């Protein structure tokens, strides 16, 4: 078992950790980590009494590990307060958790459609596996899968309450924390046993790599996952590890900025929606009506705060909410018009990158509302985004008025 965490940076701020947590693994004077592309590593000739004895015992063949991967895992382990194992995708990370724990009965919350597909695959491989909803009884449940914040609405689930219920039933709680990486949330503090991320999203953050992470509480569990990762061949490639390490250096500042812009944009759109509605105290102006009346709902953790029983949200998110939210329109045509006409949000799938994106989830997943758009906020300025949304919503109004006249 190899401990790769650098305890020197345990108490440092996350921004410092993301730059220095792998300092003990530097083997060259390069300030930026080099990329290691070799798939094979020389054996130490003096120890040839069996295989697996490379000069550095960790590196023998790429499917078991590479120096760049070790640096990424060391950095992520420190940032997530656990032991991180990096995979070639988020779904392969999720699948590994199932293969590792072999649950017989899974309580599955609302989650990203790719996770539902992975659970179905697992169910086909292991006959007799039962799936129940997250609000059903946890009787005989051995693994609870919770996503928070939720993709696509950006709303958060009360991790502590599910942890209590899971542990009372003797089950493990897995939290898919893709939409709120550190420093936005730390699910172990609310009782999660395993944390999963699609690193393709915020951890990678530049829409240029595919990877996944499983974070465990013990080094032993992480090593067991690394062994099965080597068997399955689901390790992340060298280029992806290098890009991921490069991205983690700026994680803190990127994610906090994206989170702040999102909270402002959500407030702006929710305000536009409200101001378009006539109430005894407010008569919308023509401009207010045109801007907001086609928005039916805006969903995001920041709008959950006023609801009852939502005091957990601030404890769970000490440094802000995620940078994904959902917006629904009066009709499918309006949603698609907005998706096509926003100029700062590229119309593409995925989320978490520095470029803002807009996705029509129904295109992938027929159970998603056809009137819903998922919005991923990148690093463009709030003022520019507010202008883009204003122009688009006014153009939507004009388009719908013109269409009604035909
Ligand atoms: C994207 C995503 C995944 C899957 O990750 P990939 O890296 O695309 O395999 C899992 N969970 C959530 C919440 C996601 O958004």
């Amino acid at each position: 078992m190899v401990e790769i965490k650098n305890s020197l940076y345990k108490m440092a701020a996350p921004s410092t950790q993301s730059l220095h947590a792998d300092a003990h693994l530097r083997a060259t004077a390069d300030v930026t980590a080099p990329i290691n592309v070799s798939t094979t590593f020389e054996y130490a000739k003096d120890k040839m009494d069996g295989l697996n004895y490379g000069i550095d015992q960790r590196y023998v063949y790429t499917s078991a590990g590479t120096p760049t991967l070790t640096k990424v895992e060391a950095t992520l382990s420190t940032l997530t307060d656990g032991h991180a194992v990096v995979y070639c995708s988020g779904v392969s990370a999720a699948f590994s958790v199932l293969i590792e724990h072999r649950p017989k009965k899974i309580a599955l919350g609302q989650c990203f459609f790719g996770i539902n597909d992975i659970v179905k695959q697992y169910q086909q491989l292991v006959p007799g596996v039962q799936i129940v909803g997250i609000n059903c009884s946890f009787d005989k449940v051995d693994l609870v899968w919770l996503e928070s914040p939720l993709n696509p609405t950006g709303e958060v689930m009360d991790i502590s309450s599910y942890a209590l219920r899971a542990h009372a039933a003797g089950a493990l709680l897995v939290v898919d924390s893709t939409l709120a990486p550190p420093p936005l949330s730390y699910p172990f503090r609310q009782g999660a046993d395993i944390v999963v991320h699609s690193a393709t999203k915020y951890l990678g953050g530049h829409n240029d790599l595919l990877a996944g992470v499983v974070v465990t509480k013990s080094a032993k569990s992480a090593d067991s996952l690394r062994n099965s990762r080597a068997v399955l061949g689901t390790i992340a490639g060298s280029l992806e590890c290098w890009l991921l390490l490069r991205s983690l250096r700026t994680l803190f500042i990127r994610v906090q900025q994206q989170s702040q812009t999102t909270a402002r944009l959500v407030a702006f759109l929710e305000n536009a929606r409200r101001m378009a509605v006539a109430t005894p105290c407010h008569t919308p102006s023509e401009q207010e009506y045109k801007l907001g009346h086609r928005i039916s709902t805006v969903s995001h953790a920041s709008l959950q705060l006023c609801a009852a029983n939502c005091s957990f949200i601030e404890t769970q998110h000490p440094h802000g909410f995620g940078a994904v939210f959902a917006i629904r329109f009066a009709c499918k045509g309006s949603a698609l018009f907005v998706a096509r006409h926003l100029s700062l949000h590229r119309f593409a799938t995925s989320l978490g990158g520095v470029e803002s994106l807009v996705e029509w989830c129904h295109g992938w997943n027929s159970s998603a509302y056809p009137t819903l758009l998922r919005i991923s906020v990148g690093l463009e300025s709030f003022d520019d985004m507010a202008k883009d949304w204003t122009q688009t919503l006014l153009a939507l109004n004009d388009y719908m008025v013109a269409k009604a006249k035909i």
Side-chain angles (χ1 to χ4, degrees), residues 88-92 112 114-115 147 149 151 176 178-179 197-201 210-212 351 374:
C88 58
S89 66
V91 287
S92 63
F112 173 66
I115 298 294
E147 183 173 295
N151 180 352
D176 182 340
T178 297
L179 270 67
H197 287 271
S198 163
T200 314
K201 315 296 170 57
L210 189 73
L351 57 98
R374 181 183 69 198

Side-chain angles (χ1 to χ4, degrees), residues 48-345:
M48 280 306 289
D49 50 352
L51 280 182
N52 230 15
Y53 289 132
I55 292 171
D56 177 336
Q57 289 194 21
R58 271 177 301 206
Y59 311 120
V60 179
Y61 185 62
T62 299
S63 60
T66 62
T68 321
L69 177 100
T70 308
K71 290 185 186 116
V72 171
E73 291 189 339
T75 308
L76 276 171
S77 298
T78 304
L79 286 171
T80 54
D81 287 341
H83 297 266
V85 185
V86 174
Y87 292 84
C88 58
S89 66
V91 287
S92 63
F95 194 58
S96 303
V97 171
L98 298 178
I99 296 282
E100 183 76 6
H101 295 282
R102 314 241 164 176
K104 297 263 181 315
K105 189 171 175 183
I106 305 174
L108 187 61
Q110 185 194 321
C111 59
F112 173 66
F113 77 97
I115 298 294
N116 277 316
D117 288 350
I118 279 289
V119 172
K120 273 188 218 137
Q121 284 280 340
Y122 172 74
Q123 221 178 352
Q124 280 168 18
L125 286 172
V126 185
V129 172
Q130 278 180 278
I131 313 282
V132 295
I134 197 113
N135 294 321
C136 302
S137 153
F138 283 179
D139 183 38
K140 300 208 171 65
V141 165
D142 38 19
L143 190 142
V144 178
W145 192 284
L146 185 69
E147 183 173 295
S148 181
L150 293 167
N151 180 352
T153 62
E155 290 173 327
V156 289
M157 306 289 280
D158 184 353
I159 298 176
S160 302
S161 77
Y162 288 102
L164 282 175
R165 286 183 53 214
H167 296 157
L172 282 174
L173 176 66
V174 183
V175 175
D176 182 340
S177 189
T178 297
L179 270 67
L184 301 181
S185 76
Y186 294 91
F188 287 136
R189 295 183 193 167
Q190 275 78 49
D193 299 297
I194 296 167
V195 178
V196 175
H197 287 271
S198 163
T200 314
K201 315 296 170 57
Y202 291 96
L203 301 176
H206 293 72
N207 292 319
D208 60 5
L209 70 92
L210 189 73
V213 186
V214 177
V215 192
T216 63
K217 281 179 159 170
S218 77
K220 192 164 166 246
S221 314
D223 269 352
S224 171
L225 284 168
R226 286 187 189 109
N227 287 337
S228 68
R229 180 184 63 186
V231 172
L232 295 169
T234 48
I235 201 164
S238 293
L239 178 62
E240 284 74 12
C241 288
W242 185 85
L243 286 169
L244 183 54
L245 185 61
R246 176 281 322 255
S247 299
L248 292 176
R249 306 301 192 206
T250 55
L251 177 71
F252 182 80
I253 193 161
R254 274 191 284 114
V255 166
Q256 280 214 320
Q257 184 64 49
Q258 285 170 278
S259 165
Q260 284 166 17
T261 310
T262 306
R264 291 179 72 189
L265 193 58
V266 165
F268 172 82
L269 292 167
E270 173 65 1
N271 189 53
R273 184 191 70 79
R274 283 197 196 154
M275 295 312 263
V277 180
T279 67
C281 316
H282 171 74
T283 307
S285 68
E286 197 187 335
Q287 177 80 1
E288 283 171 338
Y289 180 74
K290 284 182 178 172
L291 190 69
H293 84 285
R294 297 217 151 253
I295 305 175
S296 333
T297 55
V298 182
S299 322
H300 183 242
S302 60
L303 300 176
Q304 268 178 291
L305 284 174
C306 350
N309 304 325
C310 278
S311 55
F312 72 91
I313 298 181
E314 295 198 70
T315 330
Q316 208 168 291
H317 285 267
H319 303 292
F321 308 118
V324 164
F325 68 93
I327 182 164
R328 282 180 64 191
F329 292 88
C331 63
K332 168 179 151 183
S334 296
L336 284 169
F337 180 95
V338 170
R340 290 202 194 95
H341 284 78
L342 284 168
S343 49
L344 295 182
H345 296 266

